[in-house]
Structure formats: structure tokens, C-alpha cells
Amino acid sequence: MDDVLVRQLTPAVIGVLTRRGLDFTTAEDAVQEALIQATTSWPTRMPSDPKGWLVTVAWRKFLDGHRADEARRTRELRTWAEPPPADTQNVDDTLQLLFLCAHPSLTPSAAVALTLRAVGGLTTKQIADAYLVPEKTMGQRISRAKKTVGHVRFTENGDLSTVRRVLYLIFNEGYTGDVDLAAEAIRLTRQLAASTYDEETSGLLALMLLHHARRSARTRPDGSVVPLAEQDRSQWDTTLIGEGVDILQAALARDRLGEFQVHAAIAALHADARSVDETDWVQIVSWYDELLAITASPVVQLNRAIAVGEADGAASGLAALGAVDPSVPRFAAASAYLHEKAGDLVSAVRLYGEAAQAASNLAERHHLSVQAARLSKVLRESE
């Protein structure tokens, strides 16, 4: 940039700005900022009217700075006008917000979705994956929930069972998804359990602790999934397991069995086994029977079929699987596992491939694809 030209133009530009009402110092500062911008712009593209360019840019710099100062002063005045903050040490409003989002005017599924979005901070896609529904469907569900509560006064407490469901889904998203919310879900569930003395909430806390205890063993360094049977059990956190079992036993002693208590009992049986071969599958099947009586869930029916296959053999497992609707998520993966266990490798390869295509996340898809490739190699080598 031509220093002579700069020296010639600077006083003239400052004069234009002072005639527009700026004091000399403010005008000089604005021109200096414009000149700094000119050092990067002019060497590549010299304006046809350097003086006009400097006046325009300097004036814009002044306006930007003026607006920033006004915004800062407004924020400061607003802060000064506010009453002094109360002592908020150890205060956490998140649980209260959870109950507010679980409003009686919402269906449980809508309340869960809205709370995951508003409190859990999950994206619509993450919530859709948790529900195993299309993202568009979940987006519409959340929008309807927002409209429903948009004009509602939150004076009524939400439903405890809905809050539990919310916490469970947040935990699962933090455990298997790309947002680490598991520890926060456990913290909130501890608070909820302490404030409600509810056996199902205790069961949920026990379930979270028992699952969280296995977290470090669930994936390999490359992010791929390690099935339960292949996990290094020395990596499991025995302190969390012990705490989970103690909480579960205290909840079961109240003799008011619920879904989360049963899930936790199944997780405790897995945690109690020193190896996969020592797992008490017969008792696990019994617990699945209890769970099926409570929920009538096809997903529970699917998991029960796998447990039957472990307890009584692959043929019994496939027979139990025959009563499950094939549209249930992960049906193909369960069928592939039981067919492999039964020695039908051809069917297993095909089913693992179908399961991989239907998988809801990359880690699961990779794991199922590896299983299909592994069995394909076995079949080739046996020919």
C-alpha cells in the first residue's frame, strides 16, 4: 500500500467523519481500523476511489463499535438492575424441569421425546434412534408436544414413571450413542431415588450402575462392539456392581416388582458370572418370564428367545423365536445368532447380512458385518 497516498488521504477522511458528527479521536480510530483493512484488501484489488472506500469502511467500523458499546452498556445496566442472586449452592433444578416436561397433558411418549430434547440436549435424530422411528416422525412428535404445552401452566407435577423412562433413555443414549450422558443420568436417578423412596426408581438406578460397570469392556480401541460373551470381565467395575446389587436387593425386598427391577435382576445375574459359561441362563429365562408378564413387550420376547437358546439349546431358542414378530428390531440378528448356534451357517450368514443392513448405528452394523464375514470364511474353508 502506498504510504504517500495514505498520508494524503488520512486527514481528508478524518475531516469527512468529523463533519458527520464524530469527535476527532473517534474519527481517527475509525480511520486507523479502515487502514488496517486496506493493507489486506488494496494490494489485490485497489479501489477506483480510495478516499470514498476509506470513508465508507471507517464509518462502518465506527457504527459496529458503537453498536457493540451500546449492547455492552445495556447488558451492564440490566445486570445492575437485577436483584442480588440468592445462595444457589447445591441447588439443581434439572429434576424439577424433568417433572415439568412430563406434564399430564402429554402422552408418555411425547413427554419422553420433549424432555430428551429440552433437558437432555439430544438431537431429534438421536431421539429417533432411541425410539427406532424415522427422524421425520420424531420431529413431528416433538413439535406437537411443544404446541401442546405451549399455553399450559406447569402447576401440576409430571408422572414419575415417565420421568424414569426419560432417565433410562438418556442413560442409553449416553451409553451407546455419540453423546456421553450416562453419568448425568445416573446422578439424576440417584437424586430421584433419594427423594421418592420408590422401588422402581431404585431398580432403575441399580440397572444403570450394573450396565455402567461394564462400560470399559464394551468396546475396542477402534470403537467396535465387544459382545457380552467376549468381554474381559476383569475390566468390569466391581464397586459399581456391588452397589447396584445392594440397591436391587433392597428394592426387591419391598415385594413390589416392576420392569426396571427385573431388568436389573437380569443384569445382576450376568455380572455375577465369572465367565459366560457360568451364567445362570435358567434363572435369566425365569426373570424374562416375569418381565414378559409385566410388559408384554415383543422386544422382551425376542431377548427371552435368546436366553432360552442358551439355557435349553439352539433348537428351543429358535422355537421361542418363532413366536416373535419378525418386524421387531434386531430380529434378524437374534435369528442369525441362534442359527449359527444350531450349526446352520448358511442361514446365519444371510441373516447377519440382513441384520447389518437394518442396524441403527455404525458400530452395530460393523459388528454384524464382521460376523457375516467370519462365517463366510468358515464356509469357504470347509468346501
Side-chain angles (χ1 to χ4, degrees):
M1 190 167 63
D2 190 337
D3 291 340
V4 175
L5 179 61
V6 169
R7 286 196 297 272
Q8 291 174 344
L9 292 177
T10 298
V13 174
I14 291 175
V16 172
L17 295 179
T18 55
R19 285 193 294 274
R20 291 187 179 183
L22 302 188
D23 62 70
F24 181 83
T25 301
T26 303
E28 187 178 39
D29 290 343
V31 171
Q32 289 301 319
E33 291 192 28
L35 288 172
I36 292 173
Q37 185 169 331
T39 60
T40 59
S41 300
W42 287 12
T44 57
R45 187 178 180 181
M46 186 70 177
S48 58
D49 180 10
K51 178 183 174 182
W53 188 96
L54 284 173
V55 169
T56 299
V57 173
W59 184 250
R60 190 182 303 126
K61 295 290 186 182
F62 160 71
L63 291 177
D64 289 345
H66 179 70
R67 293 189 187 103
D69 287 342
E70 284 296 312
R72 175 182 54 77
R73 280 193 290 270
T74 299
R75 289 194 301 270
E76 290 174 350
L77 289 173
R78 187 183 300 120
T79 300
W80 279 107
E82 291 177 351
D87 183 11
T88 59
Q89 186 176 6
N90 297 324
V91 173
D92 190 341
D93 293 331
T94 309
L95 272 180
Q96 180 62 28
L97 184 56
L98 281 169
F99 273 99
L100 293 178
C101 284
H103 194 269
S105 63
L106 294 174
T107 63
S109 60
V112 170
L114 179 61
T115 309
L116 287 171
R117 187 74 183 92
V119 182
L122 276 64
T123 65
T124 302
K125 183 180 185 305
Q126 289 165 338
I127 302 169
D129 289 344
Y131 268 97
L132 302 173
V133 300
E135 183 178 355
K136 181 179 179 181
T137 300
M138 184 53 64
Q140 293 170 342
R141 186 178 300 176
I142 293 172
S143 295
R144 288 195 297 269
K146 288 180 179 178
K147 290 178 182 178
T148 299
V149 300
H151 304 290
V152 169
R153 292 178 61 85
F154 288 111
T155 56
E156 241 181 298
N157 278 335
D159 180 66
L160 179 59
S161 64
T162 303
V163 175
R164 283 196 298 262
R165 186 69 57 186
V166 168
L167 291 171
Y168 184 50
L169 285 176
I170 292 175
F171 174 81
N172 281 337
E173 185 61 35
Y175 195 64
T176 62
D178 56 358
V179 180
D180 189 0
L181 294 172
E184 177 67 4
I186 291 174
R187 184 183 72 83
L188 292 173
T189 306
R190 285 188 190 279
Q191 290 187 8
L192 188 63
S195 63
T196 59
Y197 193 69
D198 171 74
E199 55 279 344
E200 261 298 83
T201 304
S202 296
L204 173 60
L205 177 58
L207 176 63
M208 288 181 177
L209 294 173
L210 290 164
H211 279 317
H212 204 57
R214 303 202 304 258
R215 184 171 188 174
S216 62
R218 283 176 59 94
T219 56
R220 299 182 179 87
D222 62 0
S224 59
V225 175
V226 181
L228 177 62
E230 300 174 18
Q231 289 177 17
D232 180 359
R233 302 189 176 211
S234 66
Q235 294 185 26
W236 291 0
D237 189 329
T238 54
T239 300
L240 285 182
I241 290 173
E243 183 184 4
V245 170
D246 288 344
I247 292 172
L248 173 63
Q249 288 177 339
L252 292 175
R254 300 174 204 168
D255 198 22
R256 294 179 60 184
L257 192 62
E259 176 183 355
F260 286 118
Q261 294 172 72
V262 178
H263 276 297
I266 293 170
L269 286 169
H270 284 298
D272 186 55
R274 289 177 295 181
S275 68
V276 65
D277 294 332
E278 296 181 39
T279 305
D280 190 345
W281 288 106
V282 173
Q283 194 172 351
I284 288 176
V285 171
S286 177
W287 278 116
Y288 271 123
D289 288 337
E290 295 276 5
L291 190 57
L292 197 56
I294 294 171
T295 66
S297 165
V299 174
V300 171
Q301 195 176 13
L302 177 76
N303 292 332
R304 179 186 178 279
I306 298 174
V308 169
E310 298 291 352
D312 301 327
S316 297
L318 286 169
L321 189 64
V324 180
D325 184 348
S327 66
V328 173
R330 298 184 175 88
F331 178 91
S335 183
Y337 174 77
L338 290 172
H339 275 88
E340 178 186 355
K341 191 176 180 67
D344 184 358
L345 301 190
V346 174
S347 296
V349 169
R350 173 179 57 80
L351 289 164
Y352 274 128
E354 292 177 5
Q357 291 180 346
S360 60
N361 61 72
L362 290 176
E364 184 179 355
R365 184 176 303 132
H366 173 74
H367 170 71
L368 294 167
S369 298
V370 167
Q371 301 311 307
R374 173 180 59 81
L375 293 185
S376 293
K377 181 179 179 181
V378 172
L379 287 171
R380 287 195 303 271
E381 291 175 349
S382 65
E383 291 178 352

